[in-house]
Amino acid sequence: KGVVPFGAFFALFVPALISWLVPAVIISFTISGRSVPLERSNVRVRKGGYVVAAMLLSTIVVTVLLHHTLHLPPFLGMMLGLGALNLYSYFLHRHESKVFAESIPDSAQNDEFERRSEHREPFSIFNILRMVEWDTFLFFYGIMLCVGGLGAIGYLNGLSSILYTGLGYTTANILIGVLSAIIDNIPLTYAVLTMMPHMDMGQWLLLTLAAGIGGSLLSIGSAAGVALMGLRRDTYTFFSHLKWSWAILLGYASGIAAHIYINASTFK
């Protein structure tokens, strides 16, 4: 919403690094010195892999440049990158379809891809998009609608008065970070932006830092934690994460303290 310019977020790099380093060092003492055996295999990047990776990075750069030079909304830059990916995937699909139809070995394909028949399918962006978790997108869409509705009927103004007028900006932003461990940080940040309290740059950066890191206090507070619980149900659970919440809380407090000290000039 134009509250914080893009370059200002780099001021949070050191505080965010500290907030990660503190629990990482604590947890590292509990890791045994045994090495994990790895299976080595000769793997080559699938044809077009480097191009797709370069297109991803280019999309991010182009989105930022268009937003700052032509003041275009960020979604236009992202959709431009998606359109370019669809165009490239068309030619890649045609190439691989021809290769598989003629059974001509393609040197750019890795050995595993060539040996296993179930992987011999042409690259298709539509098959990839089909595997996207649309339920997650609908969840965020519903959250945005709910937050917008609460703002329209005036509840967010009342909540803003309780948090930012009653508790103060610093306490309120730190509390928002703790709440993000229970409620995802995206709807919380969107709610604060809808409230639009009159905060200085330092407080907006504090909100960004707190909401971004606070979700790690619980495994359900971040999309990464939820995804990891689904992938490694046998080793990573809610309670296995909970036993390290105290260390993450130390990192959370250290990062906030570092931000207040290092970026003191941004607070008025």
Side-chain angles (χ1 to χ4, degrees):
K1 287 195 172 182
V3 177
V4 181
F6 176 78
F9 288 108
F10 289 102
L12 296 177
F13 176 77
V14 174
L17 181 63
I18 293 175
S19 67
W20 164 80
L21 192 61
V22 170
V25 171
I26 295 174
I27 297 175
S28 67
F29 289 109
T30 66
I31 300 177
S32 62
R34 295 179 299 175
S35 60
V36 179
L38 300 177
E39 296 182 0
R40 297 184 178 274
S41 59
N42 184 20
V43 179
R44 296 179 182 178
V45 178
R46 184 173 177 174
K47 183 177 179 63
Y50 291 116
V51 177
V52 173
M55 293 178 71
L56 168 64
L57 297 177
S58 301
T59 299
I60 298 174
V61 174
V62 169
T63 299
V64 175
L65 291 178
L66 290 178
H67 179 64
H68 283 269
T69 56
L70 302 179
H71 305 289
L72 296 177
F75 80 89
L76 287 179
M78 301 302 294
M79 293 305 295
L80 176 64
L82 180 61
L85 177 61
N86 275 275
L87 181 61
Y88 177 71
S89 68
Y90 168 76
F91 295 100
L92 189 60
H93 179 84
R94 287 188 57 186
H95 169 77
E96 291 192 344
S97 298
K98 181 179 179 181
V99 170
F100 296 154
E102 299 176 356
S103 299
I104 300 176
D106 192 338
S107 59
Q109 308 297 322
N110 61 60
D111 297 335
E112 185 70 10
F113 179 80
E114 286 294 327
R115 287 196 301 266
R116 300 179 61 179
S117 60
E118 63 267 24
H119 285 173
R120 293 177 61 84
E121 295 181 359
F123 177 84
S124 174
I125 188 65
F126 299 105
N127 290 337
I128 296 175
L129 290 177
R130 187 179 59 187
M131 295 184 292
V132 174
E133 296 182 359
W134 295 103
D135 292 343
T136 303
F137 291 153
L138 291 175
F139 162 76
F140 287 117
Y141 179 70
I143 288 293
M144 298 303 178
L145 288 178
C146 292
V147 172
L150 291 175
I153 61 181
Y155 279 111
L156 289 184
N157 290 331
L159 182 60
S160 177
S161 300
I162 296 175
L163 287 176
Y164 290 99
T165 303
L167 299 178
Y169 296 140
T170 301
T171 304
N173 287 329
I174 294 175
L175 182 61
I176 289 291
V178 175
L179 288 176
S180 68
I182 303 174
I183 306 173
D184 192 83
N185 59 351
I186 292 179
L188 282 175
T189 305
Y190 181 71
V192 176
L193 287 171
T194 305
M195 299 175 191
M196 197 56 71
H198 298 287
M199 299 191 298
D200 53 39
M201 181 66 67
Q203 293 293 345
W204 282 109
L205 291 176
L206 176 59
L207 171 67
T208 304
L209 180 70
I213 296 174
S216 298
L217 292 171
L218 298 177
S219 61
I220 61 174
S222 64
V226 174
L228 188 57
M229 282 194 298
L231 294 174
R232 299 303 305 269
R233 300 176 183 178
D234 53 337
T235 57
Y236 182 74
T237 63
F238 177 85
F239 290 103
S240 67
H241 183 101
L242 186 64
K243 69 178 183 179
W244 292 111
S245 292
W246 63 272
I248 300 172
L249 183 61
L250 288 177
Y252 178 70
S254 301
I256 291 175
H259 166 61
I260 294 175
Y261 176 76
I262 297 174
N263 302 317
S265 60
T266 59
F267 292 89
K268 294 182 182 179

